[in-house]
Amino acid sequence: MSSAVRLARGLGALVLAGTATGLAAAPAHAEEYRYWSFWTADAAAHGGGGWTYATEGPSTARPADGAVAGFRFTVSADSARAAKPRAAADFDAVCGGTKAADGRKRVAVVLDFGTAADAPKGETPPAARTECVRVPEDASAGDALAAVAAPLRYDSSALLCAISGYPETGCAEQAGGSSGGASDRSPGSGGSAAPEGGASGSGAGGPSAGLIGGIAAVAVLGAAAVWQARRRRG
């Protein structure tokens, strides 16, 4: 192996190592939003099943008898980091004393208004609570919510902004920003509390510029070494 090739490989390793170090030190800049997230647990969750971030908004989700619908006010950048309701998704604990009725279904509604740290400036989150509601068989999760947690507030895009009047203002605005209106980019996925389904999350995607630059530098050095070695042999 020629000295040029060895030098190129050594420099390439240094560039790649430097790139990796830079990537490790680079902070994430995902924007966080303050909003109502929507969670579900199916009728098989009796006894405290786990929460699942909903794949559609509450006005289109049609829970079956024995299902649990959870709502948590949270601050996060996307659904993967959204906080779940702190109460268990336990239908029996909420609706165990409510009998079934013909033509109606029972839905356990879990309301978690979040923490003081999540609250908009000047507001205090109400205490978490659970409600059991009997609604028509074709009712949506939004219908069940409206039966026990009025007043609800929606924005012009039908995004659920407030439950039981909380928060008083704002709708999915960036955390730390003003609470006067909705942000132009809503958080989460279809499982956010948007009745029509929310917009996609705002997490950064694709390879970083530093990673691309490091790979390109290694490629250039390697090509130069090969060219120089062939030139010398010729």
Side-chain angles (χ1 to χ4, degrees):
M1 182 186 296
S2 69
S3 59
V5 173
R6 287 195 296 271
L7 176 60
R9 288 186 176 180
L11 288 173
L14 287 174
V15 171
L16 193 57
T19 300
T21 301
L23 288 172
H29 295 291
E31 297 170 341
E32 291 190 323
Y33 295 84
R34 181 179 287 110
Y35 68 105
W36 277 102
S37 59
F38 173 39
W39 303 79
T40 63
D42 62 27
H46 290 235
W51 289 111
T52 299
Y53 198 89
T55 57
E56 58 184 314
S59 76
T60 57
R62 307 282 172 181
D65 180 76
V68 187
F71 298 85
R72 167 72 189 262
F73 193 72
T74 184
V75 173
S76 72
D78 52 47
S79 59
R81 285 172 277 190
K84 300 177 182 180
R86 286 168 288 182
D90 190 343
F91 176 82
D92 290 337
V94 181
C95 289
T98 302
K99 295 182 179 180
D102 291 341
R104 302 184 74 81
K105 60 186 177 184
R106 298 162 299 165
V107 178
V109 179
V110 175
L111 302 174
D112 189 332
F113 294 84
T115 66
D118 295 336
K121 185 176 181 180
E123 296 198 49
T124 300
R129 60 190 174 93
T130 60
E131 301 283 353
C132 184
V133 59
R134 280 193 298 208
V135 290
E137 291 180 342
D138 62 347
S140 68
D143 294 331
L145 177 66
V148 295
L152 306 180
R153 177 167 54 84
Y154 294 90
D155 73 356
S156 59
S157 300
L159 178 71
L160 178 59
C161 304
I163 294 175
S164 294
Y166 180 82
E168 293 180 1
T169 61
C171 193
E173 76 276 4
Q174 289 185 25
S178 65
S179 60
S183 166
D184 59 351
R185 294 168 64 190
S186 59
S189 65
S192 68
E196 299 296 331
S200 60
S202 59
S208 70
L211 179 58
I212 293 173
I215 293 173
V218 172
V220 169
L221 287 169
V226 171
W227 176 82
Q228 186 173 4
R230 288 177 176 174
R231 182 182 179 189
R232 287 182 177 179
R233 286 198 299 269

